[in-house]
Amino acid sequence: MLEQYTRYPEIWAPYYTLDKILAGLLDCRELTGNEQALEIAAKMGDWVYARLSRLSAETRAAMWSMYIAGESGGMQGSMVRLYRLTGKEDHLEAAGYFDNEKLFYPMQENCDTLEDMHANQHIPQILGAMEMYRTTGEEAYWQIGKNFWEIVTGGHAYCIGGVGETEMFHRTGTTTSYLTDRAAESCASYNMLRLTGQLFPYVMDGAMMDYYENTLGNHILTSASHAVDGGTTYFLPLEPGGVKEYSTTENTCCRGTGLESRFRYMENIYAQDAEAVYVNLLIDSALSGETALTLRTTEQGEVTVRAEADMTKKLRVRVPAWAAEDFAAERNGVHRESPPLRPGYCEFEPLRRGEEIRQILPMTLRRVEVPTDANYVNLAYGPWILAGLSDDRTFRKAPDPMKVKRGTKPMEFIAGGMRMIPLHRVDREAYHVYFRR
């Protein structure tokens, strides 16, 4: 029916469903060595090749551009993964059949054509392009992934890192025109984090981890129900006086990825290249293996990295963009003047076992400018976007940070009688995130 261009809702994303099954089988093989899972996946891959190879390129292009009906999820990426396990050329060729030229060509040329495209229908297609690049080395796929990330984060992201409104991309630079109760679909952020993690090893740029940190803490963490019931938000309201709605029963895309998102807290904390080990995310954790580190943080902005074994590589500890102008660094208690900075990182020579690096980041209340609209601002404390608790349905005027008082609880502030806390600590209270200047 899809091949005959039958539209949604008469049919609903058959290849998206197939991708979820195929990806699960591949996980079973890659993580547990289950050969039966690979046998089933390989036959599915053969079926996909047989089905799509008999269609013209024009037919496939028309299918992939169809709203929801033609949504293929991460099918291209799954077929590439299958090829890496089977070595069967048909599987790689089938992966190429999922190229969506309506998206890929303008992204390759660094041209923003995302307006009116379904956000989370297309982000997984970019993940597929990255899988193609890793496997084939074709430069065009790299350009598609890199340019898409820069276009989305540069002009389509809200202050929390989330993208899309009513699931759709709108014109670049217009996010403040879409501050509604249907902003920032959670699974779109889940996939943008996956894309960021796939791009990062090629650039090792702290700016990518600035986006990652913001989206992880101010959207993914914020999307989780406080009731220990597995609930997650579908959209995250950004309208004045918005209230979160957690889904606990519906079988939605954001419910599924909302469950998976809880495992993202341990992804991409650390990385390494030939020269150095990178501390990307300031999350309490331990790194085992040849490079053994422990990472501890405080709400006062102290970050301590301790070597639990002699290091053979340099250590690069990320300095978030919000702290870059006024941070301090110590090695074994000795203050370092003008510590050398790589792109977003403070660099240290290899540590010996028991040595410690300490960074003090300025945790201050500040206004965050909205780059595309001078009429609005956000408020933040360190990495956290603050929410003002109020059921007013009109935008409130932004308080002067110099006149905001500390509350009685950690990271709590009082401004004009309005209580302000990090957005992720808001449960079912009405809140404001965007303020009039």
Side-chain angles (χ1 to χ4, degrees):
M1 293 174 72
L2 175 62
E3 292 164 3
Q4 297 168 4
Y5 309 137
T6 307
R7 297 192 172 277
Y8 166 84
E10 188 173 349
I11 63 170
W12 197 335
Y15 279 101
Y16 183 118
T17 306
L18 189 65
D19 167 49
K20 295 300 184 184
I21 300 168
L22 183 56
L25 289 167
L26 295 174
D27 284 345
C28 288
R29 170 58 176 80
E30 291 179 339
L31 300 176
T32 73
N34 189 312
E35 293 299 332
Q36 186 180 30
L38 179 58
E39 180 185 357
I40 298 169
K43 291 178 179 179
M44 291 174 67
D46 294 343
W47 180 88
V48 171
Y49 173 78
R51 184 110 222 156
L52 295 180
S53 61
R54 66 189 187 189
L55 302 177
S56 68
E58 292 76 18
T59 298
R60 293 193 298 266
M63 286 164 48
W64 306 146
S65 65
M66 291 174 64
Y67 175 71
I68 294 186
E71 186 171 359
S72 59
M75 195 65 196
Q76 183 170 52
S78 290
M79 289 301 299
V80 177
R81 291 175 60 196
L82 178 63
Y83 164 74
R84 289 201 294 259
L85 291 170
T86 65
K88 194 169 184 178
E89 290 297 326
D90 285 355
H91 295 158
L92 182 61
E93 186 173 342
Y97 292 153
F98 289 94
D99 281 1
N100 182 359
E101 290 303 317
K102 183 179 178 181
L103 174 68
F104 282 11
Y105 179 73
M107 291 300 112
Q108 183 181 341
E109 299 299 315
N110 201 22
C111 181
D112 186 348
T113 56
L114 296 181
E115 183 178 3
D116 295 331
M117 283 190 178
H118 186 279
N120 203 48
Q121 180 171 344
H122 293 91
I123 303 170
Q125 295 175 14
I126 302 299
L127 293 169
M130 287 301 300
E131 290 285 2
M132 291 290 282
Y133 173 66
R134 277 198 295 276
T135 301
T136 69
E138 292 185 41
E139 185 69 17
Y141 287 115
W142 164 254
Q143 293 297 329
I144 290 165
K146 177 183 70 71
N147 292 341
F148 178 88
W149 187 91
E150 291 175 350
I151 286 170
V152 170
T153 61
H156 295 274
Y158 292 102
C159 65
I160 59 169
V163 301
E165 189 267 350
T166 58
E167 301 188 2
M168 307 297 288
F169 285 121
H170 299 288
R171 185 171 300 177
T172 186
T174 62
T175 53
T176 53
S177 296
Y178 298 96
L179 299 176
T180 73
D181 63 344
R182 299 174 67 79
E185 186 183 3
S186 294
C187 55
S189 283
Y190 166 87
N191 281 318
M192 282 300 296
L193 289 184
R194 290 177 63 202
L195 176 59
T196 307
Q198 291 183 17
L199 288 165
F200 178 78
Y202 297 99
V203 295
M204 294 298 196
D205 189 338
M208 282 197 161
M209 284 298 142
D210 284 333
Y211 169 80
Y212 197 105
E213 174 189 69
N214 181 46
T215 308
L216 184 68
N218 292 308
H219 192 192
I220 296 300
L221 181 60
T222 292
S223 70
S225 168
H226 294 210
V228 199
D229 56 7
T232 188
T233 63
Y234 194 105
F235 298 113
L236 190 69
L238 294 175
E239 62 183 351
V243 178
K244 298 179 190 177
E245 181 179 341
Y246 302 108
S247 172
T248 58
T249 57
E250 290 184 284
N251 186 26
T252 67
C253 53
C254 291
R255 180 88 201 287
T257 53
L259 295 171
E260 293 184 34
S261 285
R262 306 310 139 211
F263 294 90
R264 295 226 67 87
Y265 305 134
M266 58 182 131
E267 297 269 353
N268 299 112
I269 299 176
Y270 302 96
Q272 68 173 335
D273 60 17
E275 295 181 350
V277 174
Y278 294 74
V279 176
N280 290 327
L281 302 175
L282 307 181
I283 296 175
D284 286 14
S285 54
L287 179 64
S288 58
E290 182 178 346
T291 300
L293 301 171
T294 55
L295 171 61
R296 295 292 180 265
T297 65
T298 71
E299 290 184 350
Q300 292 72 43
E302 294 184 7
V303 179
T304 302
V305 182
R306 176 184 171 86
E308 304 299 342
D310 291 348
M311 295 184 66
T312 58
K313 296 182 178 182
K314 295 179 180 179
L315 179 67
R316 293 172 183 161
V317 183
R318 181 171 146 267
V319 179
W322 53 266
E325 293 184 4
D326 186 22
F327 79 101
E330 298 176 355
R331 178 170 182 155
N332 300 324
V334 179
H335 178 72
R336 295 184 63 182
E337 297 290 343
S338 301
L341 282 174
R342 307 227 3 138
Y345 291 85
C346 188
E347 182 176 280
F348 301 89
E349 292 300 314
L351 274 63
R352 307 288 291 177
R353 181 177 180 178
E355 289 194 306
E356 288 186 347
I357 299 299
R358 182 168 172 260
Q359 289 188 171
I360 301 92
L361 307 179
M363 297 288 287
T364 57
L365 182 73
R366 68 188 192 282
R367 284 190 179 188
V368 179
E369 301 295 327
V370 178
T372 57
D373 192 337
N375 294 312
Y376 294 90
V377 296
N378 309 112
L379 295 174
Y381 179 73
W384 307 112
I385 294 292
L386 295 180
L389 303 184
S390 169
D391 58 7
D392 287 353
R393 300 299 293 175
T394 58
F395 288 100
R396 299 188 58 151
K397 183 175 175 57
D400 182 348
M402 301 301 293
K403 297 180 180 179
V404 175
K405 298 180 180 179
R406 288 272 185 173
T408 58
K409 298 179 180 179
M411 295 197 290
E412 178 187 65
F413 304 90
I414 307 297
M418 178 176 60
R419 182 169 167 247
M420 304 192 72
I421 59 176
L423 181 57
H424 71 272
R425 292 189 175 180
V426 176
D427 188 16
R428 296 185 180 274
E429 307 95 326
Y431 61 89
H432 290 234
V433 170
Y434 282 82
F435 298 88
R436 289 282 185 187
R437 180 176 295 281

